[in-house]
Structures are given as C-alpha cells and as structure tokens.
C-alpha cells in the first residue's frame, strides 16, 4: 500500500537534549528517511540550535523549564508551526510523549485527517511524582495525559510492563507491544578501545568490572547497587564499579559511596556522549548492574547485550521481560542482600558470566533497523483501519481537553501559592 511513507514524529526531547526517547526519535527519523520514505520531526525550540539533518525539523516555540524538569516546554497550537507541519503532507503522525507533543498531534489530525500513533516509553506517574510535590497536581497531570493517550488512534508500548503501568493510570484502551532497538552493531568494541579504557581508569584484568549506564537517580535502583557492593566487599570481593552518567541525585550517590568506603572501588565518569566510547565501556565490563523497576524497557540492557554483556536485573521488572535467568542474565530480588549474593557468585565463576554475555548477544539483540522496519509495516495498517472506521475523533477543540488543561493550570497556581506561603516561615514540603 505504501512503498514510501511520510511520517510526522513528535517528542519533547531532541538534541541538544539527549535521553532514551530522543535517541529513539533520532533513529526513527534517520531510518525512515533512509529506507522507508521520509520523515518530518516536530520538537521544542532551543536557543542557538542548528538542525543539520537529512530530514525536515520543525521547531515550535518553547519556554525555559529546564530548572524544574530538565527540558524546555513547548507551546502547543502555535499557528505558524502548525501551518509549516501541515504543508509537509504526511501520511501518519507518531508522537512519543503524551504531553505537548500529543496536543500538537491532535491539532494536526484535525487539520489533515490522518491517524495518530503514540508510543508510551516511560512510567510518567513516577516522573510526575518526582517533579511535583503536591498530590492534587499529580492527579490532574495524570488525568490529563491519560485523556491525551486515549484520544490517539493506536497506542504502542515498549514492553508488557509499560502497558500494565499505563492501565494502572486509568487508561482503558488497547495497546500493542513494539520494542525499541539499539544503534550498536552486534559484537564487542575494538580491543584497542577497551585497552585504552583500562589504562585510563586503571582496570586490572584480574579484577571484575561492573557497569551502570544511565541517569544517576535513586529511583533507578542505585542504592541497591551500592549497598550490594558494600556487602560483597565485606565478604572479601574485589571489583571496580563504573557509573556512567549524571543526574539530580549524583552528589548524594557519590556521598553514599564515600560513606560506605567504596570510593576506591567506584569510578564516576560523568556523561559519555560519544557512542563508540560508550560501546567500549559496555565491551570492557564483566556484568551490567541494572536493578531498576522504573524503566519500561531498559534500552541499556539491550545495548549491553549487543556488546556481549549480560545484566543483573530485578525479577519481574520490565527490563527483565525478555531475559532468562541464568542463561542470558541474572535475576535478583529488589534488595541489597540479593545483589551482593549475585555479585559474589559472578566473581567466583567468571566463565559463567562470559557465557551469559554471549547468550545475551545472541538472544536479546534487536537493531533499530528491525524495530523501525516493524513500525513501517504497521503504519499502513493503522492508516487503513483509521479510514475504514472513520470514527468521530476527539480533537483539540473538545471541551473535555480544555477542562483538563484548566485543571492542570489551576494546580500550577495552587503550587505557586503554596511555595510562596512556605518561604516566610521556612516550612518544608513533605516528600
């Protein structure tokens, strides 16, 4: 039906901001443009940004909210941006965030009458609770995003666990699991690159190396890593632990490592943006430690697998969905004692660790080309179903949407007044 398809991709994050979803949109746009048709990307404006891509990038106006959320917040319904996108004449809209991106998607659907696909990447209730102190605002924000999601024509989730989380928020529709991919080729990095890392960080060949890559946030399970390492060290374990990344809790995490007497064993590298260098980190490590129950998919687990590195994961977590305990990864319970037991087991049997890594590469690897190719097979089916059903769609003029938006705005005003009330007496908001 569509030998060449044109897709409008929307998201809140995009370079110069890089996170997992931004990386996803970059790969979707690049592969669609190169292999399946053409892409246009709509994202918030950043000052002095230069978009040098082989596809069209439309920047809509934004306000600076990086201090609070780490991102700029786009302004929806900006006429010139909507008009520029409408002129692109795309076949389908694919939004990767249920906030402003989906509001713009709904405005576009009202104008051009094409379906919207939404991919649910993140447990937004946890993000909202971490960003917003007050319960009444959390409720309004969650209600708002669920309404946005339910207005889409098809919902994709990156794992079954992500779908279950979405249902727990009150979402009543269906969903389809569509996995993300990785942009690493299958196989370890060049031995010269890993040797450079070993020399740079003093990594001895006879000392096991453990790795974490991602945001340095407590909700990613990092306390379990540090407490587990502390217990394992108390039982005689020798190791080096590499933390690659940064985040709001970085200073507290380093402080705990120091308190536990682990600073000689832990290395904090900061953010590594060079993908080849990051691949070398995955290739040099003996095991990837990722006890997160927050992540809906855990792309880093698949990046590790691409490099022949198996992961320690919490049993039942989304990141563990495709993994088989003892074959291509190792499961623990969500506590430090279980992590310590796993670490001690791996140190005693490094041959088994290497075998699990080889199996992870064989069993878990999914390239972005395959993931996006699967999406491009599904897109025409979504378009066909949309045209066949010709449903009456809820668009941005719907009173319910404006009512929910009004609730969120009122909640922001209450938050502002609450903070102003709090300052004079030095009161503390309870977390």
């Amino acid at each position: 039906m569509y030998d060449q398809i044109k897709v409008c991709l929307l998201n809140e994050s995009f370079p110069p901001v890089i996170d997992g979803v931004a990386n996803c949109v970059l790969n979707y746009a690049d592969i669609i443009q190169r292999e399946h048709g053409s892409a246009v990307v709509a994202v918030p404006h950043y000052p002095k940004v230069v978009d040098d891509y082989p596809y069209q990038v439309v920047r809509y106006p934004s306000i600076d909210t990086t201090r609070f959320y780490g991102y700029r917040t786009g302004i929806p319904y900006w006429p010139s941006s909507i008009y520029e996108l409408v002129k692109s004449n795309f076949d389908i809209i694919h939004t990767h965030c249920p906030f402003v991106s989906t509001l713009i998607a709904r405005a576009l659907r009202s104008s051009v009458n094409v379906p919207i696909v939404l991919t649910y990447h993140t447990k937004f209730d946890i993000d909202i609770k971490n960003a917003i102190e007050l319960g009444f605002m959390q409720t309004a924000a969650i209600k708002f995003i669920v309404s946005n999601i339910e207005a889409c024509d098809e919902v994709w989730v990156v794992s079954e666990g992500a779908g279950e989380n979405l249902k727990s928020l009150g979402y009543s529709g269906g969903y389809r699991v569509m996995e993300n991919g990785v942009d690493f080729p299958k196989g370890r990095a060049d031995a010269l690159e890993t040797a450079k890392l070993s020399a740079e960080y003093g990594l001895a060949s006879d000392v096991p190396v453990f790795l974490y890559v991602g945001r340095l946030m407590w909700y990613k399970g990092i306390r379990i890593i540090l407490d587990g390492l502390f217990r394992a060290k108390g039982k005689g374990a020798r190791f080096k632990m590499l933390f690659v990344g940064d985040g709001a809790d970085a200073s507290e995490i380093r402080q705990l490592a120091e308190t536990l007497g682990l600073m000689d064993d832990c290395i904090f590298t900061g953010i590594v943006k060079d993908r080849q260098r990051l691949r070398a980190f995955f290739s040099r490590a003996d095991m990837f430690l990722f006890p997160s129950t927050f992540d809906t998919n855990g792309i880093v687990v698949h990046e590790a697998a691409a490099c022949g590195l198996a992961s320690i994961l919490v049993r039942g977590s989304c990141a563990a969905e495709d993994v088989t305990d003892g074959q291509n990864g190792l499961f623990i319970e969500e506590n430090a004692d279980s992590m310590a037991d796993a670490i001690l087991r791996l140190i005693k049997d490094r041959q088994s660790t290497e075998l699990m890594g080889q199996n992870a590469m064989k069993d878990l690897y999914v390239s972005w080309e395959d993931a996006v190719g699967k999406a491009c097979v599904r897109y025409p089916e979504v378009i066909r179903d949309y045209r066949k059903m010709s449903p009456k769609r809820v668009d941005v003029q719907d009173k319910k949407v404006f009512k929910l938006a009004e609730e969120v705005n009122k909640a922001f005003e209450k938050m502002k007044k609450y903070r102003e009330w709090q300052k004079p007496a030095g009161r503390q908001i309870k977390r």
Side-chain angles (χ1 to χ4, degrees):
M1 181 180 177
Y2 287 88
D3 293 329
Q4 298 284 296
I5 193 163
K6 188 160 191 178
V7 184
C8 178
L9 301 162
L10 299 102
N11 192 41
E12 317 289 277
S13 60
F14 197 73
V17 173
I18 284 291
D19 61 12
V21 185
N23 185 50
C24 171
V25 173
L26 282 166
N27 279 284
Y28 260 83
D30 181 63
I31 294 165
I32 288 171
Q33 185 75 25
R34 192 173 67 241
E35 300 180 10
H36 301 284
S38 59
V40 55
V41 176
V43 288
H45 167 76
Y46 275 75
K48 299 180 181 179
V49 71
V50 177
D51 293 315
D52 184 17
Y53 300 99
Y55 43 83
Q56 181 185 8
V57 176
V58 175
R59 296 275 181 174
Y60 48 86
S62 65
I63 56 176
D64 188 0
T65 53
T66 53
R67 178 182 171 188
F68 303 103
Y69 310 117
Y71 304 93
R72 293 183 71 91
T73 298
I75 302 173
Y77 320 139
W78 199 263
S80 59
S81 302
I82 297 294
Y83 179 66
E84 187 175 356
L85 288 167
V86 167
K87 288 193 302 180
S88 299
N89 195 32
F90 40 81
D91 303 302
I92 193 167
I93 303 163
H94 190 167
T95 174
H96 290 263
C97 183
F99 292 99
V100 171
S101 297
T102 301
L103 288 176
I104 294 173
R106 296 171 68 179
L108 290 172
R109 181 177 59 190
S110 296
S111 300
V112 299
N113 194 29
V114 299
I116 300 171
V117 171
L118 177 140
T119 295
Y120 185 74
H121 290 272
T122 305
K123 292 181 178 178
F124 282 102
D125 56 325
I126 297 176
D127 269 343
I128 288 169
K129 287 171 185 174
N130 280 305
I132 300 171
E133 292 97 337
L134 304 182
F136 59 79
M137 189 169 176
Q138 293 171 7
T139 301
I142 290 171
K143 188 177 178 183
F144 180 68
I145 67 169
V146 169
S147 175
N148 249 355
I149 294 169
E150 289 184 336
C152 295
D153 299 288
E154 180 157 292
V155 175
W156 295 353
V157 295
V158 293
S159 65
E160 283 292 347
E164 291 171 9
N165 173 257
L166 186 52
K167 291 283 189 182
S168 75
L169 301 183
Y171 173 72
S172 58
Y175 58 80
R176 177 181 295 265
V177 177
M178 297 287 274
E179 285 184 313
N180 287 328
V182 297
D183 57 7
F184 290 158
K186 185 185 289 188
R188 291 185 178 275
D190 185 82
L192 183 60
E193 293 299 317
T194 57
K196 286 180 181 177
L197 281 184
S198 293
E200 181 178 351
Y201 293 108
L203 307 176
S205 59
D206 61 338
V207 176
V209 175
F210 301 122
L211 176 68
Y212 168 87
V213 176
R215 286 181 288 173
L216 297 186
M217 305 291 287
W218 287 124
Y219 62 73
K220 303 280 273 188
I222 295 176
R223 189 180 300 277
I224 291 175
I225 294 176
L226 290 174
D227 286 345
L229 291 171
F230 171 72
R231 286 163 170 74
K233 184 177 181 178
K235 295 182 179 180
R238 295 173 62 232
F239 53 82
K240 284 291 183 181
M241 178 70 214
L242 302 177
F243 288 97
V244 177
D246 203 352
D249 297 329
S251 61
E252 291 182 9
I253 288 168
R254 290 190 185 93
Q255 185 176 1
L256 178 59
E258 185 172 358
T259 300
L260 295 175
L262 293 173
M263 287 305 287
D264 289 339
D265 310 290
C266 294
I267 298 169
F268 294 88
T269 70
I271 296 173
V272 175
K273 293 185 177 180
D274 185 312
R275 299 293 291 170
Q276 291 306 312
R277 180 171 167 81
L278 185 60
R279 186 177 174 223
F281 275 100
F282 281 115
S283 300
R284 176 59 185 86
D286 293 287
M287 202 73 177
F288 188 64
L289 309 190
F290 197 67
S292 171
T293 54
F294 165 78
D295 291 73
T296 54
N297 180 244
I299 290 177
V300 284
V301 172
H302 293 268
E303 289 176 340
C307 302
L309 181 66
S311 302
I312 295 180
L313 306 164
V314 174
R315 189 184 307 276
S317 66
C318 295
E321 273 189 21
D322 300 323
V323 179
T324 302
D325 187 24
Q327 177 178 318
N328 47 31
L330 201 59
F331 291 169
I332 63 168
E333 302 307 315
E334 196 176 1
N335 61 66
D337 286 334
S338 190
M339 174 64 80
D341 290 343
I343 289 169
L344 291 167
R345 171 182 165 184
L346 294 172
I347 290 174
K348 290 177 182 177
D349 188 3
R350 294 181 71 180
Q351 186 175 358
S352 174
T353 303
E354 185 177 349
L355 180 59
M356 280 191 282
Q358 293 171 358
N359 289 337
M361 185 191 299
K362 180 181 66 176
D363 300 339
L364 305 178
Y365 181 78
V366 178
S367 70
W368 270 118
E369 283 76 12
D370 288 343
V372 176
K374 185 178 177 182
C376 287
V377 169
R378 181 60 189 163
Y379 284 148
E381 296 171 354
V382 176
I383 296 168
R384 180 200 63 206
D385 292 344
Y386 177 82
R387 291 177 176 172
K388 184 189 301 183
M389 295 176 64
S390 298
K392 181 181 179 181
R393 291 295 175 190
V394 179
D395 62 24
V396 293
Q397 284 77 38
D398 188 86
K399 292 180 180 178
K400 182 180 178 183
V401 175
F402 282 116
K403 185 177 179 181
L404 286 170
E406 187 179 354
E407 286 182 24
V408 173
N409 286 332
K410 286 180 179 177
F412 270 114
E413 287 301 313
K414 288 182 181 179
M415 170 75 80
K416 184 178 178 181
K417 290 177 181 177
Y418 185 76
R419 283 176 170 163
E420 289 172 353
W421 166 82
Q422 181 197 38
K423 287 178 183 177
R427 303 178 182 93
Q428 295 297 313
I429 295 176
K430 293 182 179 179
R431 295 182 180 275

